[in-house]
Amino acid sequence: MRRPTPPPRPHRDDVRIAVVGLLGGLALWGIGLGMNTGRLFDGAWLLVPLVVMAGLELLRRTRPRFAVIAGTLALIADQFTQGSLATVLMYTDLMYAGALYGTPAAARRLPVGTGLVTVAVTLGFLAWWQRPEAILVGVATGLVSFGPAATGMLVRGHREAAATERLRAEQTALLAEMDRAQAVTAERARMARELHDMVANHLSAIAIHSTAALSIDDEATTRTALETIRENSVDGLAEMRRLIGILRDEGGDTEPAPAPTLDGLAALVEQSRTNGLDVVLTVRGATDALPAPVELAAYRIVQESLTNALKHAAPGTVTVVVERADDRVEVRVSSPYGDRDGPRAPGSGAGLVGMRERAALLGGTFEAGPEDAKTWMVRATLPLEHPDPERELP
């Protein structure tokens, strides 16, 4: 059998209010201070409403509606006794707590109801007494009922507004933290792409030429391979040192090197020829005044495609075509596809992932795969105007 839920314990502040109110009422009664004279119940009868009102103060938070109703009856009963100022003051606190801690509907109705009661009492006593002093009764009724209820409603509104602002601030902080985490993730991905694209070409050439130098017992071939290895290692270290220097420059005193552009494709192709590739470059259309992210993406896609051709392509000519249309730049790199007899450099697949990410960040398309039995094709389309201007490749 389920045990009944015990009633909630009174708040310690409510206990203090009840004790202070009861002791204050007893002190006023002890010195003989009352509010009414010539009432039906005189003497110690005023202690009954006083004790009842003090007990209701214990319920001002847990059961505010009951406390207001019972307190109103206790206040009416107090009018038939000598009356106590402490009873009236505790009643005003019950009205305040009813608007502050009651349900939202009850909190809205309480000021309206007490206001109507105040008006009704004023008009009633005016009609009964037909003297201006009747207005004082209405004012007293408003002070002990409408005033505390309206005050409680105002305080409740300020508390709810503060809670809403606090929730909004917490949500804003959470969104800012999510944006920061996304920015950190995006920056890590960008750094990984840049580092891979800058260094992979040189390391691939080093791996292939070092394998050739170890496998071919010819002094001239070995010397040529070692010269190529040295050149690529020096260039790779320089590019890596530049990137690390930018990352370490906390003060921003170091001027970062400009990002590669399509004007550097000729030098890139010449370097690939030095590494042993037979490359033919064709550039169609004006490639000046292109958006910087588009130029960087096109350059890196060509660079990574040549790196993959150096590692995996069969003997033959690699064709690079960069063509600018009215609203886009197309990059096509075709390389011989098939078995390769010479040394291979290991690959991780990160190059294709990076090229696809670069095209996707600009709202473009990317395809890579065998076009036929003898040709491997890399094709990327990069729009000149990104559909979302806030997303831009760093």
Side-chain angles (χ1 to χ4, degrees):
M1 183 176 180
R2 185 175 180 180
R3 299 179 59 183
T5 303
R9 298 182 60 182
H11 194 274
R12 61 176 178 271
D13 291 339
D14 298 342
V15 175
R16 293 169 183 163
I17 293 173
V19 171
V20 171
L22 180 60
L23 294 178
L26 292 175
L28 293 176
W29 175 68
I31 63 176
L33 179 60
M35 298 179 61
N36 308 316
T37 58
R39 299 300 182 179
L40 182 61
F41 301 98
D42 205 354
W45 283 101
L46 66 85
L47 297 180
V48 176
L50 175 66
V51 173
V52 172
M53 201 71 76
L56 293 175
E57 286 282 18
L58 301 175
L59 306 177
R60 62 191 298 273
R61 294 175 194 260
T62 56
R63 299 184 62 184
R65 181 179 179 182
F66 173 78
V68 168
I69 296 174
T72 302
L73 297 177
L75 182 66
I76 294 174
D78 187 62
Q79 303 308 307
F80 294 94
T81 69
Q82 187 179 357
S84 175
L85 179 62
T87 301
V88 176
L89 292 178
M90 285 191 287
Y91 177 75
T92 61
D93 180 67
L94 291 180
M95 276 292 180
Y96 170 81
L100 184 60
Y101 301 115
T103 62
R108 289 191 299 268
R109 289 195 296 263
L110 196 57
V112 177
T114 54
L116 294 176
V117 169
T118 301
V119 173
V121 169
T122 304
L123 296 178
F125 273 89
L126 277 174
W128 182 21
W129 289 356
Q130 296 183 358
R131 288 185 302 174
E133 289 79 1
I135 298 177
L136 298 178
V137 177
V139 172
T141 304
L143 289 177
V144 300
S145 60
F146 174 74
T151 304
M153 189 61 187
L154 290 175
V155 174
R156 184 190 185 111
H158 287 301
R159 287 188 178 183
E160 291 177 350
T164 301
E165 291 299 326
R166 183 166 55 251
L167 179 61
R168 184 180 291 113
E170 292 174 355
Q171 292 176 343
T172 302
L174 179 60
L175 291 176
E177 179 62 22
M178 294 175 61
D179 291 341
R180 187 197 67 81
Q182 292 176 356
V184 170
T185 301
E187 182 63 15
R188 287 177 177 174
R190 186 192 71 83
M191 291 169 56
R193 285 193 301 269
E194 288 297 311
L195 187 59
H196 177 274
D197 293 343
M198 284 195 305
V199 180
N201 184 272
H202 299 293
L203 294 182
S204 299
I206 290 172
I208 290 174
H209 285 283
S210 61
T211 303
L214 292 173
S215 58
I216 300 176
D217 189 12
D218 182 75
E219 183 178 351
T221 303
T222 302
R223 183 174 183 83
T224 302
L226 291 177
E227 291 175 352
T228 304
I229 289 171
R230 183 184 184 281
E231 179 182 352
N232 280 276
S233 61
V234 171
D235 293 341
L237 286 173
E239 292 187 3
M240 184 181 295
R241 190 179 297 112
R242 179 181 65 84
L243 179 60
I244 294 176
I246 294 175
L247 295 177
R248 286 181 174 177
D249 182 27
E250 299 179 356
D253 298 332
T254 303
E255 185 70 21
T261 63
L262 295 182
D263 293 337
L265 288 180
L268 180 63
V269 168
E270 186 61 32
Q271 182 185 25
S272 298
R273 289 171 181 162
T274 303
N275 292 334
L277 278 181
D278 182 11
V279 185
V280 176
L281 172 64
T282 303
V283 179
R284 299 171 184 164
T287 58
D288 56 336
L290 290 176
V294 175
E295 279 202 274
L296 177 60
Y299 180 92
R300 293 302 188 196
I301 289 174
V302 172
Q303 182 184 44
E304 183 58 31
S305 299
L306 294 177
T307 300
N308 289 342
L310 179 65
K311 293 191 290 185
H312 306 297
T317 302
V318 177
T319 302
V320 178
V321 178
V322 178
E323 182 176 1
R324 176 181 178 175
D326 293 335
D327 58 348
R328 66 188 184 277
V329 172
E330 294 187 359
V331 178
R332 298 187 297 274
V333 181
S334 60
S335 55
Y337 179 64
D339 295 334
R340 174 173 177 161
D341 297 331
R344 289 177 177 269
S348 61
L352 293 178
V353 174
M355 289 189 286
R356 183 172 287 105
E357 288 178 350
R358 288 184 182 277
L361 285 173
L362 296 175
T365 59
F366 174 81
E367 298 176 1
E371 189 175 40
D372 52 45
K374 297 183 178 180
T375 306
W376 178 276
M377 175 64 72
V378 173
R379 183 181 291 106
T381 302
L382 308 175
L384 297 182
E385 294 185 3
H386 196 281
D388 184 2
E390 293 185 358
R391 290 180 56 195
E392 184 174 287
L393 185 66

